[in-house]
Structures are given as C-alpha cells and as structure tokens.
Amino acid sequence: KQEVTQIPAALSVPEGENLVLNCSFTDSAIYNLQWFRQDPGKGLTSLLLIQSSQREQTSGRLNASLDKSSGRSTLYIAASQPGDSATYLCAVVGDKIIFGKGTRLHILP
Amino acid sequence: DAGITQSPRYKITETGRQVTLMCHQTWSHSYMFWYRQDLGHGLRLIYYSAAADITDKGEVPDGYVVSRSKTENFPLTLESATRSQTSVYFCASSEPGLLYNEQFFGPGTRLTVL
C-alpha cells in the first residue's frame, strides 16, 4: 500500500531564503507526482506535475525533482516571498492517487 | 465565468438527511473527481468519472452516490448523512489522457452533519 509522507508538517523561514519541501513515498511504481498549493479556505492549485520518466520540472521560482528509486521528491522554492505562505501538498499517482498531509509554510516578512 | 464551481459552499444538515453537493465545470474536461479533506487524513478520493455515464469508486466511496448525466456536472449525494461525513469536499477535473493528469480544483464545500 502506497504511503506518502511530508516532513516537516510546518515550516517558518525569513523572506528571501531558498527552501526545500520534502515528499517521500513507499512504492516506486508511479505514473507521476504532483505538487499543489492550498491557501486557507480554498481549493488546491496545481503547481508542477512530474511524469515518472522525468527527473525534474520547473516553473518560475519553483523546481520539483523526482527520484523514484529512493522514493523522494523535493519542491525547491527560490527567493521566498510572503505570498508563498500556504500549505503545500504532494500527490503520488500509481494505480491510485495518494496525497500527503502537506507542509504548512509561513514566510516571515 | 470559466472554471470549476461548487455549491453550496457551506452546508449544515442533520444525521439521516439526504444531501447533494453540486459540481460544475466549463472546460469540457473528461475526468471529474470528488475528494474529502479531513484533519489527520489529508485528501482522499471518493469517486471519479471518466466521461458522462461512467463512474468508478475511489478510496472511500461508502455512503456516497454519484451520477454524471452531462459532461459538465458531477453531483455527489450523501443518501443518509452521518457525523463521520462532516468534512470539506472538493471537486476536481482534468483533461483526457492519463486518469490523473493535471487537476483543477473547485473551492470546496464545507459540510457539517449534526
């Protein structure tokens, strides 16, 4: 059974810092991995989707990597801004879609 | 406006009542999904649909019914609501191709069952 873990559950960093969010999974037989952002009281917004054959994807200040063999993905946020404060969730797609519980990120002005 | 909408946004009901949550998308996406989000469990898939009149169970389907007579609508019905169904419900859609392509989420419906 696929298990998806995101550590830490919460993170506070000063504005301007680069940061890395982690997502680990137990079964490497996946089709893709997706990163989402969720603002309080809102739905999820898709950030990046990495196909199983890819190693990374980039969008603006965001870069997501995927290492299937080690069961890990990271979301790198460059030059963090207060507007980046949100909960970040990863979802692993195999025969099912399994979400992690998220990392709540707070960027300190 | 284009996008995916859910109604109502908030709903309070009593145990045993039937409740229907509505989801409407304007993109003509083939796939539509219903999730619930609970503290401690994260998001879990309830049901999904690959096209009109085609639906399938997700991880937690018990107590829920779905239908999809039109591509743009995907209502979720709780036939006899229970307190354990208190949750935030999200509808999502994605383009055809791989089942879990990039998904677009609605704003959610917060349901409280008393």
Side-chain angles (χ1 to χ4, degrees), chain A residues 31-32 34 36 38 41-44 46 49 89 93 96-99 101, chain B residues 9 35 37 40-43 45 59 90 98 100-103 105-107:
Chain A
Y31 293 115
N32 67 51
Q34 304 180 24
F36 295 88
Q38 185 174 28
K42 302 288 182 63
L44 280 67
S46 178
L49 184 156
L89 298 99
V93 176
K96 300 179 182 179
I97 183 167
I98 305 296
F99 285 79
K101 293 184 173 65
Chain B
R9 294 293 314 281
Y35 295 92
Q37 186 174 37
H41 285 284
L43 267 91
L45 181 65
E59 185 181 355
F90 289 101
L98 181 64
Y100 298 110
N101 267 338
E102 181 182 10
Q103 295 183 65
F105 279 75

Side-chain angles (χ1 to χ4, degrees), chain A residues 46-79:
Chain A
S46 178
L47 296 174
L48 290 164
L49 184 156
I50 311 176
Q51 301 290 357
S52 61
S53 58
Q54 298 174 319
R55 297 282 291 182
E56 64 179 89
Q57 280 284 356
T58 298
S59 176
R61 294 183 293 109
L62 306 179
N63 176 277
S65 68
L66 174 64
D67 183 343
K68 283 199 309 178
S69 61
S70 66
R72 290 190 59 197
S73 176
T74 61
L75 179 67
Y76 175 83
I77 302 177

Side-chain angles (χ1 to χ4, degrees), chain B residues 13-19 63 78-85 111 113-114:
Chain B
T13 191
E14 295 178 338
T15 300
R17 290 191 179 266
Q18 183 178 83
V19 177
L78 289 66
E79 293 189 303
S80 180
T82 65
R83 290 183 181 176
S84 65
Q85 293 177 309
L111 176 67
V113 182
L114 302 177

Side-chain angles (χ1 to χ4, degrees), chain A residues 36 44 91-100, chain B residues 31-38 41-50 55-64 66 74 76 87-94 99-101 103-105:
Chain A
F36 295 88
L44 280 67
V92 176
V93 176
D95 58 348
K96 300 179 182 179
I97 183 167
I98 305 296
F99 285 79
Chain B
Y31 290 109
M32 295 188 75
F33 309 84
W34 274 107
Y35 295 92
R36 59 179 290 175
Q37 186 174 37
D38 305 286
H41 285 284
L43 267 91
R44 291 178 292 173
L45 181 65
I46 303 171
Y47 269 96
Y48 66 94
S49 169
T55 62
D56 209 346
K57 296 178 181 179
E59 185 181 355
V60 288
D62 293 343
Y64 303 95
V66 294
F74 190 38
L76 175 74
S87 186
V88 180
Y89 291 85
F90 289 101
C91 179
S93 70
S94 67
L99 172 58
Y100 298 110
N101 267 338
Q103 295 183 65
F104 298 87
F105 279 75

Side-chain angles (χ1 to χ4, degrees), chain A residues 2 5 7-8 10 13 22 28 38 41 44 54 60-61 83 89 95-97 103-104 106-107:
Chain A
Q2 179 75 274
T5 304
I7 295 174
V13 299
N22 297 298
S28 62
Q38 185 174 28
L44 280 67
Q54 298 174 319
R61 294 183 293 109
L89 298 99
D95 58 348
K96 300 179 182 179
I97 183 167
T103 294
R104 191 169 63 253
H106 184 206
I107 306 299

